[in-house]
Amino acid sequence: MSASRSFPSPIVAVLLLGASLLVAACGSGSPGAESATADARHGLTIGSELRRGYLDDAQGAYAAAPSERADEDVLARLSPGEELWVIDRAGLAAAAPGDEIEPGCGRCFGRRDVGETVPLPLEKTKVRADVAGHVATVDVTQVFHNPFDTKIEAIYVFPLPHDAAVSEFVMTIGERRIRGVVRRREEAERIYEAARSMGYVAALLSQERPNVFTQSVANIEPGRRLEIEMRYFNALPWRDGGFEFDFPLVVGPRFNPPGWSDRIEAHPQGTRATAATSVPYLAPGQDGGHRVEIEVEVDAGIPIRALASASHAVEVERLSDSRRRVRLAANDRVPDRDFRLRWELAGDRPEAGLVLHESEGGTFFSFLLVPPRELETIRRAPTEFVFVLDCSGSMKGAPLAKAKAAARRALRACDPRDSFQIIRFSSEASQLGSRPLPATSENLRRGLRYLDELEGTGGTMMVEGIKAALDFPRDPSRQRVVTFMTDGFIGNEVEIFGAIADRVGDARVFSFGIGNSVNRHLIEGMARLGRGAVAYVGLDDDGTAAVDAFYERVRRPALTDIRLDWGGARVEDLHPRTVPDLFHGRPVMLVGRLRGTPPSTVVVHGRAGGEEVSTSIALTPDAERRHSGIASIWARHRIADLEYAAAARGENRAAEVEAIALEFGIVSSRTSFLAVDASARTEGRMGVQVPVGVPVPDGVRYETSVPR
């Protein structure tokens, strides 16, 4: 499978192009061609003209519409024999979200006794990933079915990687395929509600967090199956000697501080949702029947030295020295933990190079910035280590035991010149002492005893942990390094990011994700704002390697104050806007826009250990690769920069986020994907709503994480 392949024909596309357009289709004999329906109250107008010239008119009308360049990509993919459904915007404002023709629909929860299978509408998730170098193209297919004797609306809250640029969305019903388009979130929700109320099969994909999404599928008829296909792109991280591909499979239960409005709630399957975004969890012993299939094909470009999954049993097929095909084993397909795949290459670090994509907006690129070897010879200054452990209820048991083991090893590795502090937080924060202690043998023993006494209970008031870790006076003779050990199961990420930005100063924040299904959006964001790095420790992992690698990073100075000389090339819109610090073993991926000829050399300037360091990176033509997803990845990183800045400064960047997402046709906090099958109405106008129950993540205790 190549990264540039497209979904097969025929395609039905839903577009909203202007008040004067009804519908256009290429070819003949398309479903629904003999009928047209309209409902002015809901602003949904469906027609059926079948003239190629009309499509040309639609393209001309589109050209005059600003800020919707992504629609042109949908139009360009159409050819004779394919259909294009156009939904008129006229009268849309008359329909408010939740405005219905008939009384509100009921809810079906599939309540069953523990030990039985709970009939739910999500049958299977299929994941197919192609990795070229450090860029992944991932197709996700969710197979829904209706096991009930009445029409249903399926609601599924699910995770994707926090940096996934979701850029394609297709709904398949039998032989018919309806291609979705990106719209402003409020507009997409209104159209979805109108289509649902009128009896059309419709699908809506919305983002609740960068790594949490809601899939809504309306009017699935009894006994029917349909598929939702999504494609996303993301750039894979290099961590301590290898590339990592991670695919999350379940949203962990979140703690929401009192008064926090933008909540992701948890509730038991079979009970009513407690918030607009609420995840129903199956009780221990219950099975929703949902299974996953995963296949990953890795084309590393250079020989692969080792490849393995620490999370799942897999089958590995060797295709060549540099290519592997990996499949999830048949007996390990319950979606209760993240899928993690790691491979190491010949050589001790990745090759620097550009991955490019040329478009009308310029040439977009990603660049892997590798730490210079000079860092390996410079010793670090004395360090003030602050270890912050999450002791909330979701960490009780195996996760907290793993965090404590990692902290113990970290303490034992302290240098006599260092000092340390241990902070715990759950519903409140407490600490070992009023100030950091010198890393003497006696004090280290005291710290180990304190760790032994920690227990998991209560909520996750992480802001209190941040205040305790960053508010006390700084020792000017030591570099402060704050290490958070947490599963990240909280709902107020924006508040956390703002608290770090307000307090971090010249400290560095490192974050350890502890568990099998951690909140990577939070963990990665904390390290990004704190100019540190991340590591992940699964419950079946030996945490020794992660802690040792952490000390390998902090015992050598980072390359800070980084400046890049692109050799005269015109580089614009680089993200992250502030180049992160470079740590030993941790390259940084940058994305940007290039005008003209790519550079042949990049010179990296910075400071390490009080010394000025410069290194030159040659970029030969062989180091340049092409990938169609780079523009989408750039847009996703641009949006992330805007949202981190908004969290840090309390700004409203929603309009900018919306404009970028619409221009590049990706899902965001302000945009959603929508697909409607307008060929015919289903019987009746409303369906029973069925939320998809999910298992509590492996290693997380149901009784301490899911409110009764």
Side-chain angles (χ1 to χ4, degrees):
M1 182 175 83
S2 70
S4 61
R5 77 190 191 289
S6 58
F7 290 120
S9 297
I11 299 290
V12 180
V14 177
L15 296 180
L16 290 81
L17 298 180
S20 63
L21 300 179
L22 297 182
V23 71
C26 303
S28 60
S30 57
E34 69 285 352
S35 65
T37 61
D39 189 317
R41 180 182 176 204
H42 286 273
L44 191 68
T45 307
I46 312 294
S48 56
E49 292 291 334
L50 301 177
R51 299 195 308 271
R52 178 72 197 189
Y54 197 82
L55 176 61
D56 294 336
D57 293 341
Q59 290 173 317
Y62 163 76
S67 304
E68 293 176 359
R69 190 186 72 187
D71 287 347
E72 195 168 35
D73 295 333
V74 179
L75 289 167
R77 286 194 289 268
L78 295 173
S79 61
E82 296 179 346
E83 302 170 62
L84 167 64
W85 289 99
V86 180
I87 299 178
D88 185 11
R89 277 199 178 94
L92 182 62
D99 190 18
E100 296 171 349
I101 296 174
E102 293 183 350
C105 65
R107 294 170 67 87
C108 175
F109 300 102
R111 188 194 302 272
R112 290 291 186 275
D113 293 332
V114 172
E116 291 187 330
T117 298
V118 178
L120 293 172
L122 182 61
E123 186 176 81
K124 182 188 301 183
T125 296
K126 297 182 285 188
V127 180
R128 177 71 167 89
D130 280 333
V131 178
H134 69 275
V135 180
T137 303
V138 185
D139 291 328
V140 181
T141 302
Q142 296 168 344
V143 182
F144 291 90
H145 75 125
N146 183 353
F148 305 104
D149 58 4
T150 186
K151 190 169 62 174
I152 67 171
E153 177 188 20
I155 308 293
Y156 178 37
V157 180
F158 68 100
L160 287 174
H162 70 283
D163 58 350
V166 183
S167 56
E168 292 196 45
F169 184 79
V170 173
M171 177 172 67
T172 301
I173 308 170
E175 299 300 319
R176 306 193 66 245
R177 294 170 58 80
I178 297 91
R179 183 176 291 275
V181 292
V182 169
R183 284 293 173 267
R184 295 172 179 85
R185 179 165 179 157
E186 295 82 0
E187 182 180 15
E189 288 172 350
R190 288 197 297 268
I191 296 167
Y192 173 82
E193 287 294 325
R196 181 177 71 91
S197 298
M198 293 169 64
Y200 293 111
V201 179
L204 178 71
L205 176 67
S206 298
Q207 175 186 303
E208 315 301 342
R209 297 290 190 276
N211 61 340
V212 179
F213 297 79
T214 297
Q215 186 77 263
S216 303
V217 187
N219 294 314
I220 308 175
E221 296 178 293
R224 293 294 299 271
R225 277 179 171 76
L226 61 81
E227 296 185 355
I228 302 295
E229 301 172 52
M230 294 164 281
R231 171 172 291 174
Y232 72 80
F233 305 100
N234 69 334
L236 305 183
W238 172 278
R239 295 193 177 105
D240 303 319
F243 281 110
E244 296 182 0
F245 172 84
D246 300 288
F247 187 84
L249 289 170
V250 62
V251 175
R254 304 294 204 257
F255 172 82
N256 300 278
W260 187 253
S261 59
D262 185 16
R263 307 165 74 85
I264 295 181
E265 296 278 16
H267 68 278
Q269 172 69 24
T271 64
R272 186 167 295 276
T274 54
T277 303
S278 192
V279 183
Y281 288 97
L282 299 165
Q286 288 184 328
D287 185 0
H290 175 211
R291 295 296 183 265
V292 296
E293 299 175 2
I294 299 177
E295 180 177 311
V296 182
E297 189 166 318
V298 178
D299 183 356
I302 59 177
I304 296 173
R305 184 173 62 199
L307 179 147
S309 171
S311 62
H312 288 75
V314 296
E315 302 167 355
V316 180
E317 180 182 356
R318 186 181 186 278
L319 303 177
S320 69
D321 287 348
S322 60
R323 297 176 61 221
R324 302 288 189 275
R325 182 178 292 126
V326 181
R327 294 186 180 89
L328 191 61
N331 61 349
D332 200 5
R333 295 184 174 177
V334 177
D336 61 354
R337 61 198 185 281
D338 294 353
F339 175 79
R340 299 159 54 205
L341 185 67
R342 176 183 172 88
W343 57 96
E344 299 175 1
L345 307 179
D348 60 350
R349 56 194 207 161
E351 295 180 349
L354 294 175
V355 181
L356 306 169
H357 175 65
E358 297 175 358
S359 70
E360 292 181 2
T363 299
F364 294 91
F365 71 88
S366 75
F367 173 59
L368 206 62
L369 181 57
V370 179
R373 295 189 184 276
E374 287 86 346
L375 289 182
E376 300 177 9
T377 62
I378 303 174
R379 304 298 295 179
R380 70 169 173 88
T383 303
E384 178 184 85
F385 289 102
V386 183
F387 301 101
V388 187
L389 279 76
D390 181 351
C391 294
S392 62
S394 66
M395 291 285 289
K396 186 173 184 178
L400 182 57
K402 187 66 68 173
K404 289 163 68 172
R408 287 190 196 98
R409 187 169 183 88
L411 276 180
R412 294 189 180 105
C414 281
D415 190 295
R417 301 174 301 157
D418 301 329
S419 63
F420 72 94
Q421 174 66 283
I422 302 173
I423 297 170
R424 59 159 298 281
F425 70 89
S426 54
S427 297
E428 56 187 18
S430 61
Q431 58 197 46
L432 175 60
S434 60
R435 60 178 58 87
L437 303 174
T440 64
S441 297
E442 176 56 34
N443 285 336
L444 290 173
R445 285 194 293 270
R446 180 181 169 189
L448 293 171
R449 289 194 298 270
Y450 182 80
L451 284 173
D452 289 340
E453 296 170 358
L454 297 181
E455 296 181 353
T457 185
T460 314
M461 298 298 290
M462 183 175 279
V463 167
E464 300 306 315
I466 290 169
K467 293 177 181 178
L470 294 173
D471 279 354
F472 65 87
R474 162 103 153 53
D475 181 349
S477 67
R478 294 184 172 94
Q479 169 70 49
R480 179 175 294 178
V481 172
V482 181
T483 304
F484 284 88
M485 298 182 176
T486 178
D487 55 21
F489 289 161
I490 63 168
N492 61 324
E493 294 99 330
V494 170
E495 185 180 19
I496 298 301
F497 296 154
I500 291 175
D502 286 344
R503 295 171 169 82
V504 67
D506 62 354
R508 295 294 184 267
V509 174
F510 289 75
S511 46
F512 278 78
I514 306 292
N516 290 342
S517 300
V518 300
N519 180 2
R520 292 179 182 242
H521 167 50
L522 175 73
I523 291 164
E524 299 275 351
M526 292 171 65
R528 179 166 174 166
L529 288 167
R531 292 167 295 170
V534 301
Y536 295 98
V537 179
L539 300 184
D540 297 326
D541 294 349
D542 177 4
T544 299
V547 174
D548 289 351
F550 162 73
Y551 266 93
E552 187 69 11
R553 281 189 292 278
V554 299
R555 77 181 181 85
R556 296 169 176 163
L559 185 65
T560 63
D561 303 322
I562 294 174
R563 303 166 316 276
L564 301 175
D565 180 351
W566 297 93
R570 293 177 55 198
V571 171
E572 304 170 351
D573 299 323
L574 193 68
H575 297 285
R577 283 195 177 275
T578 301
V579 179
D581 293 349
L582 272 180
F583 296 93
H584 174 78
R586 289 301 176 93
V588 169
M589 198 274 292
L590 305 172
V591 294
R593 195 176 343 215
L594 177 69
R595 306 287 183 178
T597 305
S600 58
T601 302
V602 178
V603 181
V604 182
H605 305 281
R607 295 186 62 80
E611 303 176 16
E612 193 71 26
V613 175
S614 295
T615 186
S616 180
I617 302 173
L619 300 177
T620 64
D622 290 341
E624 294 180 11
R625 306 183 70 168
R626 308 282 165 169
H627 197 290
S628 60
I630 294 299
S632 297
I633 291 173
W634 176 88
R636 186 68 171 179
H637 281 261
R638 167 69 173 150
I639 287 172
D641 258 5
L642 290 170
E643 293 184 331
Y644 282 129
R649 305 185 188 104
E651 301 172 351
N652 186 346
R653 311 298 290 269
E656 294 169 84
V657 168
E658 183 177 283
I660 291 291
L662 287 173
E663 180 181 0
F664 288 85
I666 62 175
V667 175
S668 72
S669 59
R670 301 289 303 167
T671 54
S672 299
F673 258 115
L674 170 75
V676 179
D677 178 8
S679 62
R681 297 177 188 243
T682 57
E683 291 290 331
R685 288 187 171 182
M686 304 299 292
V688 175
Q689 192 178 87
V690 185
V692 175
V694 300
V696 168
D698 181 44
V700 175
R701 295 192 177 188
Y702 179 90
E703 64 274 12
T704 61
S705 303
V706 181
R708 298 189 177 211

